[in-house]
């Protein structure tokens, strides 16, 4: 149900809508919401950003589907991240996620920032540069090797891990998740320090029609290579096994990995102010410096790296970044979430209007090796 921009000042305290799944109350004049709203049997999403909320019943602390401005959420609710396992967070070394000063790319960016229009913000910008991994497709996958980094096709899952599936109420049947990619972690261990030193990641989504739902994207981690079995055994899957996947798989390619860095997009910096917390020098409001960065620095570095997939990189957005969306939906601070994988539109991988999808994880969960609370988002023009 959609009630955005209707200048609503209140909604009834008693609600009886057992089949209500989602309600959009964006940009009204609401100061609170009734507890009965989250007590509806099938409700899983409430959007209430842009309202002058003063308080919410305590029960909203445990409702995962609440979309609310992060500053408001932090003020009126408990926004501390409890960990995927509910046992709290563990410490992590934040320096691991950012570019190493001794690298040539870091020095190249530093040199580009030596300009009168932006040099005052040099250290602030350099502090945001991420140490990333790029992956680019090479030859078509022939399944001659088990456990190699791969996009599309079928995964080399162990026999004791079933191909993930979900029940579709719309189609009234069990549907298989769509396999997106697998990454051999040992092959990229020299490019970064924040992922497990060995093992394999497997990335899946329900379909392009399920973004925003719980578990719309999942990540499986397998530590030992001797458990893997060739994905060829899944080649008999049919289109009808999936919600909607033409050919029952995405085009399959082997992946080549390389070290890279990632700079933030500043297009929506007014929304993503967390990138420059406190901003003592005023970059967020310096339109001339931002324009210079967007036209003379960011494009040069972006052209350095041709990729299909990226690990721990930024994404272009016109609104909230994937990390901010994760913090809003799943709690915590946006800078404590990372994009474990970004997948671009290429070949049969088409995300709406040539967009990108992001599998985001909290750094504490990554440190624990717990991949059960992944946030899947899509950015598209």
């Amino acid at each position: 149900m959609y009630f955005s921009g209707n200048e609503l000042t209140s909604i009834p305290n008693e609600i009886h809508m057992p089949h209500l799944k989602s309600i959009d109350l964006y940009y009204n004049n609401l100061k609170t919401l009734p507890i009965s709203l989250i007590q509806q049997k099938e409700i899983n999403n409430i959007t209430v950003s842009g309202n002058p909320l003063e308080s919410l019943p305590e029960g909203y602390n445990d409702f995962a589907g609440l979309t609310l401005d992060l500053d408001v959420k932090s003020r009126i609710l408990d926004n501390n991240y409890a960990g995927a396992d509910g046992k709290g967070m563990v410490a992590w070394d934040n320096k691991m996620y950012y570019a190493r000063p001794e690298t040539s790319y870091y020095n190249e960016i530093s040199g580009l920032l030596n300009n009168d229009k932006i040099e005052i913000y040099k250290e602030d910008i350099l502090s945001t540069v991420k140490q990333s991994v790029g992956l680019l497709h090479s030859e078509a996958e022939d399944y001659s090797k088990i456990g190699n980094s791969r996009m599309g096709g079928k995964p080399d899952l162990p026999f004791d891990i079933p191909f993930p599936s979900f029940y579709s109420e719309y189609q009234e049947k069990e549907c298989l998740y769509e396999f997106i990619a697998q990454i051999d972690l040992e092959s990229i261990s020299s490019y970064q320090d924040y992922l497990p030193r060995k093992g394999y990641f497997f990335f899946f989504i329900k379909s392009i029609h399920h973004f925003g739902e719980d578990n719309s994207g999942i990540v499986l981690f397998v530590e030992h290579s001797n458990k893997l079995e060739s994905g060829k055994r899944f080649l008999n899957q049919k289109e009808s096994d999936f919600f909607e996947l033409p050919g029952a798989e995405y085009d399959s390619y082997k992946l080549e990995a390389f070290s890279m860095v990632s700079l933030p997009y500043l297009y929506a910096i007014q929304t993503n102010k967390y990138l420059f917390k406190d901003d003592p020098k005023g970059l967020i409001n310096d339109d001339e410096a931002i324009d210079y960065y967007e036209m003379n620095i960011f494009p040069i570095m972006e052209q350095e790296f041709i990729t299909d997939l990226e690990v721990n990189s930024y994404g272009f957005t016109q609104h909230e970044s994937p990390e901010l969306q994760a913090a809003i939906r799943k709690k915590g601070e946006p800078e404590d979430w990372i994009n474990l994988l970004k997948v671009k539109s290429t070949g049969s991988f088409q995300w709406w209007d040539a967009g990108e999808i992001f599998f985001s994880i909290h750094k504490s969960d990554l440190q624990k090796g717990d991949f059960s609370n992944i946030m899947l988002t899509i950015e598209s023009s």
Side-chain angles (χ1 to χ4, degrees):
M1 299 183 70
Y2 296 90
F3 296 98
S4 59
N6 280 302
E7 299 185 3
L8 298 177
T9 58
S10 65
I11 57 178
N13 285 326
E14 297 298 323
I15 299 174
H16 302 284
M17 302 181 71
H19 300 297
L20 177 65
K21 295 182 178 180
S22 178
I23 185 168
D24 186 341
L25 298 165
Y26 191 66
Y27 271 109
N28 283 285
N29 292 314
L30 299 169
K31 294 185 177 180
T32 191
L33 298 174
I35 190 66
S36 61
L37 183 57
I38 60 173
Q39 294 172 342
Q40 304 309 298
K41 185 177 179 180
E42 297 187 15
I43 190 73
N44 57 42
N45 184 67
I46 300 171
T47 300
V48 70
S49 301
N51 283 273
L53 292 171
E54 296 179 352
S55 64
L56 286 173
E58 187 174 346
Y60 279 85
N61 278 311
D62 301 318
F63 181 71
L66 182 67
T67 300
L68 173 62
D69 301 300
L70 188 61
D71 58 339
V72 178
K73 194 172 187 179
S74 299
R75 175 169 52 82
I76 65 176
L77 292 173
D78 176 9
N79 196 47
N80 293 317
Y81 187 67
D85 57 7
K87 298 180 180 179
M89 295 189 294
V90 297
W92 64 86
D93 181 1
N94 211 43
K95 293 180 181 178
M96 294 190 299
Y97 295 94
Y98 293 94
R100 303 161 181 167
E102 68 273 12
T103 63
S104 59
Y105 295 129
Y106 185 96
N107 291 326
E108 182 178 355
I109 297 168
S110 179
L112 291 171
L113 291 168
N114 290 329
N115 182 281
D116 291 343
K117 294 182 179 179
I118 203 166
E119 189 171 17
I120 187 177
Y121 309 114
K122 180 176 179 177
E123 294 305 317
D124 295 331
I125 294 173
L126 286 173
S127 70
T128 68
V129 181
K130 291 187 174 183
Q131 184 66 41
S132 309
V133 179
L135 297 119
L136 181 66
H137 77 273
S138 55
E139 59 187 295
E141 181 58 80
D142 57 7
Y143 299 96
S144 60
K145 182 179 179 181
I146 295 177
N148 59 291
S149 294
R150 172 187 309 155
M151 64 185 296
K154 302 300 180 183
D156 296 334
L157 287 174
F159 276 123
D160 60 354
I161 297 181
F163 202 102
S165 65
F166 66 98
Y167 182 77
S168 167
E169 293 184 358
Y170 179 79
Q171 295 189 353
E172 298 182 333
K173 68 173 186 178
E174 196 75 11
C175 295
L176 296 177
Y177 273 77
E178 299 173 3
F179 171 63
I180 301 301
Q182 68 184 37
I183 297 179
D184 173 8
L185 295 173
E186 187 172 11
S187 71
I188 64 172
S189 61
S190 63
Y191 303 143
Q192 46 69 39
D193 299 317
Y194 43 83
L195 298 180
R197 298 293 84 195
K198 62 180 182 178
Y200 304 85
F201 282 157
F202 298 87
F203 296 85
F204 298 84
I205 68 170
K206 287 183 176 179
S207 81
I208 61 172
H209 304 290
H210 291 83
F211 291 111
E213 295 183 6
D214 288 339
N215 298 316
S216 56
I218 60 174
V219 178
L220 304 181
F221 172 61
V222 176
E223 186 173 2
H224 301 293
S225 61
N226 60 2
K227 289 189 174 184
L228 300 184
E229 298 291 342
S230 175
K232 288 191 294 184
R233 71 186 192 278
F234 298 122
L235 290 175
N236 61 349
Q237 292 173 343
K238 306 180 295 294
E239 285 188 24
S240 58
D241 294 330
F242 299 85
F243 186 87
E244 182 183 44
L245 181 58
E249 68 175 32
Y250 290 97
D251 296 340
S252 185
Y253 295 97
K254 299 177 182 179
L255 290 169
E256 299 293 337
F258 53 89
S259 177
M260 61 172 284
V261 295
S262 180
L263 282 78
Y265 295 82
L266 300 186
Y267 181 87
I269 191 60
Q270 291 295 333
T271 301
N272 299 290
K273 295 179 179 180
Y274 72 90
L275 290 169
F276 299 96
K277 275 205 166 177
D278 300 326
D279 192 28
K281 298 175 183 176
L283 172 60
I284 289 174
N285 295 309
D286 191 335
D287 293 339
E288 184 178 9
I290 291 174
D291 287 345
Y292 182 83
Y293 171 90
E294 293 282 312
M295 295 178 65
N296 298 282
I297 297 176
F298 186 87
I300 293 176
M301 296 309 302
E302 188 174 45
Q303 292 170 11
E304 293 262 5
F305 311 110
I306 306 300
T307 64
D308 294 316
L309 302 90
E310 295 173 8
V311 175
N312 187 37
S313 68
Y314 293 101
F316 175 77
T317 177
Q318 300 180 58
H319 306 288
E320 294 89 354
S321 70
E323 299 95 325
L324 180 54
Q325 292 181 58
I328 291 172
R329 184 67 180 259
K330 294 179 176 290
K331 299 189 176 183
E333 300 298 328
E335 60 270 26
D336 294 340
W337 289 82
I338 72 156
N339 297 323
L340 189 61
L341 189 69
K342 175 171 77 173
V343 185
K344 299 181 178 180
S345 288
T346 180
S348 62
F349 294 80
Q350 294 298 321
W351 315 121
W352 294 357
D353 187 13
E356 301 171 338
I357 62 172
F358 300 82
F359 295 80
S360 302
I361 187 172
H362 196 278
K363 293 175 182 176
S364 174
D365 291 338
L366 181 55
Q367 186 72 23
K368 291 181 182 181
D370 187 338
F371 303 94
S372 63
N373 195 29
I374 296 294
M375 178 75 174
L376 179 71
T377 55
I378 183 169
E379 297 297 331
S380 179
S381 58

